[in-house]
Amino acid sequence: VQLQASGGGLVQPGGSLRLSCAASGSIFSIGAMGWYRRTPGSRRELVAEITSGGSTDYADSVKGRFTISRDNAKNTVYLQMNSLKPEDTAVYYCHALLGKYDNTWYDNWGQGTLVTVSS
């Protein structure tokens, strides 16, 4: 299974970006999907997560500015980022918890996409 992320780029402070991440391949089931980010010298941190049922969770630093959503029919998760700040600059990674036929689960990560917020 591959997770293909897209949508990163350079944006001015106060601007918006939308990240997308599509899962493809031999998929049995998908549980929670989410976005993490990492800046140089820091650990990867959770930005937002959404369950298969649509429940969401956000890092305090992005609440009210970012919105996570998913399209289960397309196996895709989105992250709408508004009112971007320079401190949002990071490499963003999508994540999916994938289920197997034997009812076990495993983590799958997409390649990072760079978001740069700068004037």
Side-chain angles (χ1 to χ4, degrees), residues 25-98:
S26 182
I27 299 170
F28 183 76
S29 64
I30 304 179
M33 302 182 79
W35 292 92
Y36 290 70
R37 66 187 181 189
R38 182 165 61 193
T39 56
S42 71
R43 298 175 63 181
R44 188 160 50 188
E45 63 171 0
L46 173 68
V47 176
E49 187 175 62
I50 184 168
T51 67
S52 57
S55 296
T56 59
D57 189 28
Y58 296 91
D60 288 342
S61 59
V62 307
K63 284 181 180 176
R65 300 188 298 122
F66 291 10
T67 302
I68 190 170
S69 61
R70 67 190 282 173
D71 185 332
N72 290 330
K74 296 181 179 179
N75 295 328
T76 299
V77 62
Y78 307 95
L79 185 68
Q80 178 66 43
M81 304 185 293
N82 299 329
S83 303
L84 281 160
K85 304 175 181 180
E87 50 263 43
D88 295 317
T89 296
V91 178
Y92 285 71
Y93 299 88
C94 64
H95 167 266
L97 191 62
L98 301 178

